[in-house]
């Protein structure tokens, strides 16, 4: 037996409804009852009709309504709503059938449009998301569906917002959860991935061989350059050393001549010069027989004094 205080006439669905509390929601329609004094929760908007026409939207907090004349017709939540988009079939641009599901995040911005613009806002947005997803997937090939997932989500959100603006609903974001491809297509994709990896490995190996050959050639080139530069520096140093030796020899010879000239001007200088010439003359003749079997001698070979006198005459 239901208590009498729990049997009340619902002002919305016009039925005898059972409530857990005198001021609780109707179990038949789920809407709050007009109890004159109402407390609207935060992040909710209650749409009130007066004698069948839209009257006003109750703000969160304390509100007052006239019994029998005013009734709460819709209760809209202003929180962000998460809706699972059921899995559906879609055909890509290259005629591959895909099974795709997603998650839709939306929020009611205008409770009036959401109440009177469409019968069921969530159902309408879900259907719109499904049709938009199929339309967007039909513009892309299978490879681009995986590569451009973020752009696909953004395009779906943009298309939904263009249509749902009249319903007072704003789509915040859309995320694709899973993309299922046919088994044969999946095997083909796997083979393509393996072929691509083998190709990259071959390319990397060939590039490594090329780099190694270039490095070897560059090393040989640098070695030849360094060797030629070293040989050049060696020849330069050798020529400079020979030049310095010749110069030092010439300077020594000139110094010897100067010293000899200075010695000749001194007393008994001629006698010393004659002695030196005679010694050289005798030394030269002593070496002739050692160097060759044929020896040509002047007629006055033994006349050393005459030879010295002749040399002095030249001087």
């Amino acid at each position: 037996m239901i208590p009498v205080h729990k049997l009340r006439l619902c002002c919305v669905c016009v039925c005898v409804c059972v409530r857990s509390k005198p001021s609780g929601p109707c179990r038949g329609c789920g809407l709050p009852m007009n109890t004159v004094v109402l407390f609207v929760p935060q992040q909710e908007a209650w749409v009130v009709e007066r004698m069948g026409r839209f009257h006003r939207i109750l703000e969160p907090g304390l509100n007052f309504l006239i019994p029998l004349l005013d009734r709460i017709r819709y209760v809209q939540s202003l929180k962000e709503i998460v809706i699972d988009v059921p899995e559906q079939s879609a055909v890509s641009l290259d005629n591959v059938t895909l099974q795709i599901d997603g998650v839709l995040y939306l929020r009611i911005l205008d409770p009036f449009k959401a109440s009177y613009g469409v019968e069921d806002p969530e159902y309408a947005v879900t259907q719109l998301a499904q049709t938009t997803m199929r339309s967007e997937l039909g513009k892309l090939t299978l490879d681009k569906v995986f590569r451009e997932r973020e752009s696909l989500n953004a395009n779906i959100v943009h298309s939904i917002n263009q249509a749902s603006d009249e319903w007072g609903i704003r789509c915040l974001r859309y995320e694709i959860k899973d993309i299922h491809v046919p088994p044969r297509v999946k095997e083909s994709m796997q083979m393509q991935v393996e072929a691509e990896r083998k190709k990259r490995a071959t390319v990397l190996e060939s590039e490594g061989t090329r780099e190694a050959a270039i490095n070897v050639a560059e090393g040989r080139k640098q070695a030849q350059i360094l060797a030629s530069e070293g040989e050049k520096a060696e020849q330069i140093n050798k020529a400079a050393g020979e030049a310095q030796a010749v110069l030092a020899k010439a300077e020594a010879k000139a110094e010897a001549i100067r010293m000899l000239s200075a010695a000749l001007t001194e007393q008994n200088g001629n006698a010393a010069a004659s002695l030196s010439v005679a010694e050289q003359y005798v030394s030269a003749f002593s070496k002739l027989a050692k160097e060759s079997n044929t020896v040509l001698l002047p007629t006055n070979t033994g006349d050393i004094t005459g030879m010295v006198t002749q040399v002095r005459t030249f001087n």
Side-chain angles (χ1 to χ4, degrees):
M1 191 77 182
I2 300 175
V4 177
H5 74 275
K6 291 189 177 181
L7 294 177
R8 295 176 180 252
L9 180 65
C10 179
C11 60
V12 177
C13 57
V14 191
C15 63
V16 177
C17 59
V18 180
R19 306 175 188 275
S20 59
K21 295 181 180 180
S23 60
C26 171
R27 291 184 181 179
C29 58
L31 297 175
M33 181 183 116
N34 183 3
T35 56
V36 182
V37 179
L38 300 174
F39 298 93
V40 180
Q42 185 68 31
Q43 289 296 97
E44 284 191 7
W46 293 4
V47 180
V48 177
E49 293 181 353
R50 175 168 292 180
M51 293 184 294
R53 293 185 59 184
F54 171 76
H55 175 55
R56 66 190 180 100
I57 298 175
L58 301 182
E59 300 293 336
L62 178 62
N63 293 273
F64 298 94
L65 294 179
I66 301 175
L68 300 179
L69 297 180
D70 296 337
R71 65 175 181 175
I72 302 170
R73 187 68 177 83
Y74 299 100
V75 174
Q76 303 292 354
S77 175
L78 303 182
K79 299 177 182 180
E80 186 172 339
I81 303 172
V82 182
I83 301 176
D84 283 330
V85 180
E87 186 177 78
Q88 60 176 334
S89 301
V91 181
S92 63
L93 185 61
D94 49 356
N95 296 323
V96 177
T97 303
L98 305 175
Q99 297 292 331
I100 297 182
D101 58 353
V103 180
L104 185 65
Y105 300 85
L106 55 88
R107 177 175 291 170
I108 296 176
L109 301 181
D110 191 338
F112 176 80
K113 291 183 179 181
S115 301
Y116 298 100
V118 63
E119 182 64 27
D120 190 341
E122 294 185 6
Y123 177 76
V125 172
T126 301
Q127 295 300 313
L128 181 59
Q130 290 181 328
T131 56
T132 305
M133 184 192 300
R134 287 195 294 266
S135 175
E136 292 295 330
L137 285 176
K139 302 176 184 178
L140 301 175
T141 60
L142 180 61
D143 294 335
K144 289 186 177 180
V145 170
F146 292 99
R147 289 200 303 264
E148 300 181 6
R149 197 161 179 170
E150 293 184 2
S151 63
L152 179 61
N153 293 336
N155 292 336
I156 294 175
V157 170
H158 179 70
S159 300
I160 292 175
N161 286 331
Q162 284 183 337
S164 63
D165 185 61
E166 297 295 329
W167 304 338
I169 299 174
R170 182 72 176 175
C171 180
L172 302 179
R173 56 192 175 275
Y174 180 87
E175 297 293 339
I176 297 177
K177 291 197 299 184
D178 295 315
I179 301 177
H180 302 284
V181 298
R184 292 184 178 180
V185 176
K186 190 174 182 180
E187 292 177 1
S188 300
M189 293 174 61
Q190 186 66 28
M191 294 174 62
Q192 182 180 0
V193 171
E194 292 178 359
E196 186 67 25
R197 289 178 179 175
K198 290 181 181 179
K199 176 184 176 182
R200 288 201 300 265
T202 304
V203 171
L204 291 175
E205 184 178 358
S206 63
E207 289 181 353
T209 304
R210 185 186 65 178
E211 292 293 334
I214 291 174
N215 291 335
V216 172
E218 188 68 24
R220 291 178 180 176
K221 176 183 176 182
Q222 293 295 332
Q224 291 178 356
I225 292 174
L226 293 175
S228 62
E229 290 181 353
E231 185 177 355
K232 177 182 176 182
E234 182 181 358
Q235 292 178 357
I236 292 174
N237 292 334
K238 184 177 180 181
E242 292 178 354
Q244 291 179 358
V246 172
L247 181 60
K249 186 176 180 181
E251 289 180 353
K253 189 174 182 180
E255 184 65 24
I257 292 173
R258 285 196 296 269
M259 292 176 64
L260 179 60
S261 176
L264 290 174
T265 58
E266 295 179 359
Q267 187 178 4
N268 298 325
N270 291 333
S274 298
L275 179 59
S276 177
V277 171
E279 290 177 351
Q280 293 179 7
Y281 181 79
V282 172
S283 177
F285 273 98
S286 64
K287 295 179 181 179
L288 289 177
K290 296 180 180 179
E291 295 177 356
S292 176
N293 294 328
T294 304
V295 180
L296 297 177
L297 299 175
T299 56
N300 56 349
T301 303
D303 189 4
I304 298 175
T305 304
M307 182 62 65
V308 172
T309 303
Q310 187 178 357
V311 171
R312 293 179 61 186
T313 303
F314 289 153
N315 292 336

